[in-house]
């Protein structure tokens, strides 16, 4: 069974540009989460999507946004890139409401470098 | 103050040793607790959930003290393969927002 897949693996952008990261959850999982892991820092919660809707967002500016598609895959968009946005972006998925166990399954991440 | 605090380590221990990691959290609304493991340049993976009564999974024992807002992980008979970063995680279940500590690095040496 395929795990959580993310693309691209690496992305290089310049300041002011926009980045789009993609995530496909494990089959059967309806919840998708996005986390940022900057160098030397812990995982910071960005967004939670479930059943196509944004359910919760972390303490990040509005230029971080995303969406979840009917097939439960998800996109994270980062507008007006800043140097400090350089980080590993991890997507995770889980079972949805009613079946949630607390376990998140992570993808291998997309490494964004902003020059 | 960080929401979840862990000693970053590294903890360098010989094979067969017993090692304990501690973690404190600040949000008293936290309802669920976990330990995740992250190998170098890999994604985090769930090691075990932490229950109020304490729980054991093979060589791993987790404890929770809600009054002190403190979580621990004990690893007995350390193996080389236990070398990794151990992440303490707390969750406000209603908001589905897992808060990760920065991790404690363990290096088990032969």
């Amino acid at each position: 069974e395929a795990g959580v897949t993310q693309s691209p693996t690496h992305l290089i952008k310049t300041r002011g540009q926009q980045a789009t990261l993609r995530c496909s959850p494990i089959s059967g999982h309806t919840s998708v989460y996005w986390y940022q892991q900057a160098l030397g820092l812990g995982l910071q919660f960005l967004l939670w999507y479930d059943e196509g809707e944004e359910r919760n967002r972390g303490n990040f500016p509005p230029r971080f946004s995303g969406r979840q598609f009917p097939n439960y895959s998800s996109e994270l968009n980062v507008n007006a890139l800043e140097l400090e946005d350089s980080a590993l972006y991890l997507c995770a998925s889980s079972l949805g409401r009613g079946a949630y166990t607390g376990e998140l399954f992570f993808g291998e991440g997309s490494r964004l470098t902003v020059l | 103050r960080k929401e979840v605090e862990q000693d970053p380590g590294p903890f360098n221990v010989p094979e067969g040793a017993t090692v304990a990691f501690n973690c404190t959290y600040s949000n008293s609304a936290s309802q669920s607790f976990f330990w995740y493991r992250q190998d170098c340049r890999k994604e985090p993976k769930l090691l075990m959930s932490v229950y109020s009564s304490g729980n054991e999974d093979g060589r791993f024992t987790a404890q929770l003290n809600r009054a002190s807002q403190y979580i621990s992980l004990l690893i007995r008979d350390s193996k080389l393969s236990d070398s990794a970063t151990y992440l303490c995680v707390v969750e406000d279940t209603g908001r589905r927002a897992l808060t990760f500590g920065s991790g404690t690095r363990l290096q088990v040496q032969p």
Side-chain angles (χ1 to χ4, degrees):
Chain A
E1 182 183 319
V4 176
T5 56
Q6 293 186 243
S7 63
T9 306
H10 294 87
L11 188 60
I12 299 175
K13 293 284 188 178
T14 56
R15 284 175 59 188
Q17 286 189 312
Q18 184 211 26
T20 298
L21 309 177
R22 296 178 178 84
C23 172
S24 292
I26 290 172
S27 177
H29 286 186
T30 61
S31 279
V32 170
Y33 312 80
W34 288 95
Y35 282 83
Q36 182 195 67
Q37 188 172 33
L39 194 63
L41 297 178
L43 280 76
Q44 303 294 317
F45 169 70
L46 272 163
L47 290 157
W48 165 35
Y49 291 96
D50 185 62
E51 298 283 354
E53 293 193 20
E54 183 182 299
R55 302 292 183 181
N56 193 16
R57 76 178 281 127
N59 193 22
F60 280 83
R63 58 190 185 83
F64 287 83
S65 65
R67 54 181 171 165
Q68 187 179 33
F69 299 99
N71 67 353
Y72 304 116
S73 67
S74 178
E75 264 183 11
L76 174 69
N77 296 294
V78 189
N79 293 320
L81 285 166
E82 300 179 3
L83 296 177
E84 52 265 35
D85 296 334
S86 295
L88 181 68
Y89 289 84
L90 289 164
C91 173
S93 73
S94 77
L95 294 169
R97 298 183 178 199
Y100 178 62
T101 63
E103 182 172 10
L104 268 58
F105 295 82
F106 284 85
E108 295 188 348
S110 293
R111 185 163 296 283
L112 172 63
T113 301
V114 182
L115 302 175
Chain B
R1 183 187 170 189
K2 289 182 181 178
E3 284 192 58
V4 179
E5 299 219 43
Q6 296 183 252
D7 180 343
F11 284 59
N12 294 302
V13 302
E15 271 186 290
T18 295
V19 61
F21 305 138
N22 302 319
C23 163
T24 57
Y25 62 95
S26 60
N27 184 359
S28 58
S30 299
Q31 299 161 312
S32 303
F33 309 89
F34 309 92
W35 284 100
Y36 273 71
R37 168 190 169 134
Q38 187 171 24
D39 292 322
C40 188
R41 298 188 177 277
K42 294 285 194 180
E43 70 276 18
K45 292 183 179 179
L46 178 67
L47 178 66
M48 60 195 299
S49 301
V50 185
Y51 302 117
S52 297
S53 54
N55 49 297
E56 192 174 301
D57 183 1
R59 298 181 293 109
F60 299 84
T61 301
Q63 298 277 357
L64 167 65
N65 184 323
R66 285 186 186 267
S68 302
Q69 296 183 196
Y70 170 97
I71 305 162
S72 66
L73 177 68
L74 182 77
I75 305 176
R76 289 182 300 278
D77 188 23
S78 299
K79 312 290 185 192
L80 293 175
S81 57
D82 294 334
S83 297
T85 296
Y86 290 83
L87 305 170
C88 176
V89 184
V90 304
E91 182 185 31
D92 179 349
T93 308
R95 298 176 62 239
R96 203 68 82 76
L98 272 66
T99 302
F100 285 75
S102 298
T104 298
R105 194 156 70 88
L106 171 66
Q107 185 66 48
V108 181
Q109 295 162 335

